[in-house]
Amino acid sequence: MSSNKGSKSKSRVVVVGAGIGGLTAGALLARRGYDVLILDQAIVPGGCASTFKRRGFIFDVGATQVAGLEPGGIHKRIFDELEVDLPPTTPCDPACAVFLPGEKQPINVWRDREKWAVERQKQFPGSEPFWQLMGKLFAASWKFQARDPVLPPRNLWDLWHLVSSIRLDTSITFPFTFATVGDALRLYGVYGDKRLKTFLDMQLKLYSQVDADETALLYAATALAVSQEPQGLYHLQGSMQVLSDRLVEALEKYGGKLLMRHTVEKINTKSGKVTGVTIRDLKTGEVWTENADRVVANVTTQNLVQLVETDSIANYQRRVDKLPDASGAFVIYLGVDRAAIPEGCPPHLQFLYDYNGPIGENNSLFVSVSKAGDGRAPEGKATIIASSFTDAQMWWQGTKEEYDKLKQEYTKEAIERLGEYFNLSPENIIHQETATPRTFARFTARDRGIVGGIGQRVSTFGPFGFATRTPVKHLWLVGDSTHPGEGTAGVSYSALTVVRQIEAAK
Ligand SMILES: Cc1cc2nc3c(=O)[nH]c(=O)nc-3n(C[C@H](O)[C@H](O)[C@H](O)COP(=O)(O)OP(=O)(O)OC[C@H]3O[C@@H](n4cnc5c(N)ncnc54)[C@H](O)[C@@H]3O)c2cc1C
């Protein structure tokens, strides 16, 4: 069966995936007059930023904190254009409490700039020149990003929008284009400061997938500074789902349509140009072809090459194949009695348990704790969500029994580790559940359950990353594989770029 149910006069756009990137692109396109259909294989929209409910608790699947909600921030700009209210929020202060191995007092990443400067001077004496450089690079990079550059450029229009975002104030960043955070630490003679280096490794791994030695300095300057005012990180009241819900509301307000439990099995092309998609209704098993003038794929680059016939994107496929392995996540979701939570517990904590181990595989946990009255837990209860990076491939090897055993070991170890800070006596744990890369693959359809994009190494960030344009005409890529990378704010930039490019092409 083949159909084109959209109106004849409007340009027809099919969006593959209702993650924050796909929903944002779809809602903006609907607002700008396109006939939009979004398809998602999951039960609820939001992908890695969705939620699930268990025994009165609401758990955020992946993303728990949001950047870009302040005036001028990317979510705020997009919600303004969509004429939808931003969901209610509470600022995270400290944005994160970071515990180094064996230390009982955390390094608090305060929201107030001055307070954070005092904290880091106390924690890492002698490192202030390094932080001053980071501050300057951030100020320049932020102004540059606010001018909506297109990165990496793939045609003259992109190049024009990149070049016109570069001003005199951007010039300070040029000498650092190929530098890593490790290079800057060496430049200021603080590379040997083990606590500082470890703190940076831990925080950067969260935002860029890689440590200080590998993370591109210009990316790090922004990632490390968005926790402070006038930017800042926020918790959404209710749960992360409200972000997707409001985007769906906007999509439908402007005549767009969302179909859940529909998987796109193939993106169809003819003579190097997109023609539509092949869809399977997962409830009925019905398969059909939907014609489209444009297709926006809200998937990873690794998924994209599986959806498009390889010979039309052979070079692209080779580039994807050469990417370093992406991480997976192991996540434990706990519904607990409030008695489990220490007095004054910050909303986000990060623990490293051993200086010699890798930052991942349970040696490090990033923890998000619900606040009383934030809508995630019944009265007197709370949610604790802890995640660690893990080798995604490892979870696909061996038998079902071996997989179950590995999962049990990871769960036991994570609970023991968390028990060092929280009171996790059996009577305090009401619900317990875990997610591995296999879980992420199933619920978000991400290849092997990899999360967080392609990483922000010098070779893969900004100008050297994957573009929103693909080698197939009228096929666009949106999401955390593209500039500026992972996070709901990042994928919203990516969506806005695609929408501008589609408009320009029209
Ligand atoms: C454990 C964890 C913690 C995180 N913490 C944070 C955080 O605190 N703050 C933050 O900002 N970010 C965080 N992130 C990152 C953030 O969640 C992601 O970068 C972002 O949500 C990705 O959005 P996306 O639009 O790229 O796509 P995704 O979230 O991957 O969504 C893609 C959607 O497309 C659908 N789909 C894919 N293929 C198909 C197909 N063929 N047919 C139909 N549907 C398809 C999927 O079902 C999914 O709904 C975290 C991620 C993880 C895993």
Side-chain angles (χ1 to χ4, degrees):
M1 184 171 88
S2 177
S3 76
N4 201 351
K5 295 164 194 156
S7 121
K8 288 259 180 320
S9 56
K10 286 181 167 185
S11 183
R12 175 78 158 158
V13 184
V14 167
V15 181
V16 184
I20 300 299
L23 288 173
T24 304
L28 286 174
L29 286 167
R31 168 81 175 90
R32 295 180 189 204
Y34 291 79
D35 175 20
V36 178
L37 171 65
I38 306 185
L39 303 149
D40 197 299
Q41 54 90 43
I43 299 166
V44 289
C48 293
S50 62
T51 59
F52 64 95
K53 289 184 189 165
R54 297 284 187 272
R55 301 166 74 180
F57 294 97
I58 300 182
F59 295 102
D60 294 326
V61 165
T64 53
Q65 54 185 6
V66 180
L69 292 169
E70 71 285 356
I74 187 67
H75 285 303
K76 171 83 173 102
R77 281 175 62 194
I78 286 166
F79 274 63
D80 284 351
E81 173 167 347
L82 296 172
E83 296 182 51
V84 171
D85 291 335
L86 273 177
T89 58
T90 33
C92 301
D93 190 21
C96 197
V98 181
F99 290 80
L100 296 179
E103 299 191 12
K104 291 275 169 264
Q105 291 304 316
I107 299 157
N108 284 307
V109 182
W110 298 110
R111 185 174 160 77
D112 180 84
R113 276 185 191 278
E114 292 307 314
K115 206 169 160 189
W116 168 229
V118 171
E119 174 84 14
R120 69 187 184 229
Q121 282 157 18
K122 183 182 90 186
Q123 296 284 352
F124 316 117
S127 67
E128 203 45 27
F130 163 79
W131 290 105
Q132 292 299 325
L133 172 72
M134 296 302 267
K136 283 184 191 140
L137 294 178
F138 167 64
S141 303
W142 195 253
K143 282 186 196 152
F144 170 71
Q145 187 59 42
R147 294 175 204 127
D148 296 332
V150 175
L151 277 166
R154 287 288 178 268
N155 71 3
L156 275 178
W157 187 89
D158 293 355
L159 191 63
W160 168 250
H161 283 272
L162 172 59
V163 172
S164 53
S165 303
I166 298 172
R167 309 271 163 85
L168 201 57
D169 58 20
T170 323
S171 60
I172 183 180
T173 64
F174 298 161
F176 299 100
T177 309
F178 299 101
T180 65
V181 176
D183 294 333
L185 290 171
R186 272 186 287 268
L187 185 69
Y188 290 100
V190 285
Y191 187 86
D193 181 337
K194 190 171 162 187
R195 291 184 73 255
L196 171 63
K197 171 77 169 38
T198 307
F199 166 80
L200 291 170
D201 284 344
M202 290 169 74
Q203 287 275 283
L204 289 171
K205 182 90 183 163
L206 279 184
Y207 300 123
S208 72
Q209 303 265 318
V210 283
D211 64 11
D213 283 322
E214 285 196 88
T215 305
L217 184 64
L218 295 182
Y219 176 82
T222 300
L224 293 172
V226 290
S227 305
Q228 277 82 46
E229 283 170 311
Q231 288 78 31
L233 299 178
Y234 296 85
H235 259 178
L236 299 183
Q237 182 66 24
S239 72
M240 281 300 293
Q241 200 64 45
V242 294
L243 197 59
S244 306
D245 288 349
R246 300 233 169 161
L247 290 168
V248 174
E249 180 190 320
L251 171 79
E252 291 172 349
K253 181 166 91 170
Y254 298 113
K257 192 172 168 190
L258 168 66
L259 291 179
M260 298 306 297
R261 299 299 284 141
H262 283 70
T263 196
V264 170
E265 294 191 331
K266 203 164 152 239
I267 296 173
N268 303 315
T269 64
K270 197 173 171 197
S271 313
K273 197 170 145 189
V274 92
T275 57
V277 293
T278 303
I279 303 168
R280 179 183 293 271
D281 180 333
L282 294 173
K283 278 176 283 184
T284 64
E286 185 192 359
V287 177
W288 76 97
T289 301
E290 187 81 23
N291 297 333
D293 302 306
R294 289 169 180 81
V295 171
V296 176
N298 179 206
V299 299
T300 67
T301 46
Q302 291 87 345
N303 286 89
L304 185 70
V305 293
Q306 294 165 22
L307 285 170
V308 186
E309 289 159 38
T310 325
D311 51 348
S312 59
I313 53 162
N315 287 336
Y316 193 85
Q317 166 94 55
R318 274 193 281 279
R319 207 179 151 211
V320 172
D321 290 344
K322 278 193 204 145
L323 282 173
D325 280 343
S327 275
F330 173 82
V331 189
I332 180 156
Y333 308 92
L334 297 175
V336 297
D337 197 281
R338 270 251 146 231
I341 314 288
E343 196 66 33
C345 176
H348 295 285
L349 310 97
Q350 198 182 12
F351 299 93
L352 182 71
Y353 297 100
D354 177 1
Y355 271 115
N356 298 318
I359 296 181
E361 308 302 350
N362 264 349
N363 185 31
S364 164
L365 289 174
F366 177 70
V367 186
S368 178
V369 184
S370 70
K371 221 170 54 115
D374 75 359
R376 286 164 176 83
E379 215 184 316
K381 315 270 188 293
T383 61
I384 300 174
I385 302 171
S387 57
S388 69
F389 291 97
T390 183
D391 169 16
Q393 205 53 44
M394 174 177 84
W395 295 87
W396 294 93
Q397 289 154 2
T399 59
K400 167 89 174 66
E401 288 68 36
E402 282 164 335
Y403 168 77
D404 288 341
K405 192 163 164 266
L406 190 62
K407 194 166 152 179
Q408 262 173 23
E409 282 165 14
Y410 267 64
T411 306
K412 187 168 166 276
E413 194 172 358
I415 301 245
E416 274 168 22
R417 301 275 206 203
L418 289 170
E420 292 170 24
Y421 183 84
F422 299 97
N423 178 0
L424 294 183
S425 52
E427 68 277 12
N428 278 349
I429 302 182
I430 300 158
H431 182 77
Q432 176 183 322
E433 193 164 337
T434 50
T436 71
R438 282 204 199 192
T439 325
F440 277 94
R442 181 160 160 229
F443 290 101
T444 68
R446 296 173 73 101
D447 181 48
R448 289 161 291 140
I450 55 172
V451 295
I454 60 171
Q456 302 291 335
R457 299 168 178 86
V458 170
S459 59
T460 49
F461 94 110
F464 316 110
F466 276 83
T468 43
R469 283 183 206 276
T470 72
V472 178
K473 204 164 177 205
H474 300 319
L475 172 62
W476 308 86
L477 179 66
V478 71
D480 55 19
S481 290
T482 63
H483 175 77
E486 74 172 303
T488 63
V491 303
S492 301
Y493 268 117
S494 161
L496 181 62
T497 303
V498 164
V499 171
R500 290 166 60 225
Q501 287 170 321
I502 289 177
E503 284 275 83
K506 192 175 73 173

